[in-house]
Amino acid sequence: NHFWNKRIITTAREWNKKLIDIKKIRFSDIARAINKLEYQKNILELAYKKGYIRKKSYEDGKMKVNNLIKGLKKRL
């Protein structure tokens, strides 16, 4: 019984630590940031199609936004 109770207590502590780490991440903030970046990417594409920006600027901006999105998705 002693070892069983000790095992239950240690696993409960481990789960509590994991829950605290998950709460710190705040998934809604990351998802909101990803949506905002996707919106910016769409605006960048529209600006390129209408001729407001050059191809090089479009490709650089798209690459930067994609890298930011990848970094945020890794956190999820």
Side-chain angles (χ1 to χ4, degrees):
N1 269 342
H2 173 70
F3 292 114
W4 180 256
N5 288 338
K6 193 171 186 176
R7 181 176 175 202
I8 290 174
I9 292 170
T10 56
T11 54
R13 285 182 185 157
E14 288 175 10
W15 281 103
N16 284 335
K17 287 179 185 177
K18 289 179 183 179
L19 285 174
I20 290 170
D21 291 340
I22 289 172
K23 287 180 183 177
K24 286 181 183 177
I25 292 175
R26 295 184 183 172
F27 291 110
S28 61
D29 292 341
I30 293 173
R32 194 175 301 138
I34 289 173
N35 288 336
K36 191 180 281 188
L37 288 170
E38 290 288 341
Y39 178 72
Q40 288 177 353
K41 191 165 75 170
N42 290 335
I43 290 174
L44 189 68
E45 186 176 344
L46 285 174
Y48 174 67
K49 284 182 180 178
K50 290 187 177 186
Y52 295 129
I53 59 174
R54 294 182 182 177
K55 185 174 183 178
K56 183 173 179 2
S57 299
Y58 168 70
E59 290 174 352
D60 290 342
K62 187 177 175 184
M63 185 177 66
K64 288 178 184 178
V65 170
N66 285 335
N67 288 337
L68 288 172
I69 290 173
K70 284 180 187 177
L72 289 173
K73 285 185 178 181
K74 285 182 182 179
R75 288 185 177 184
L76 291 176

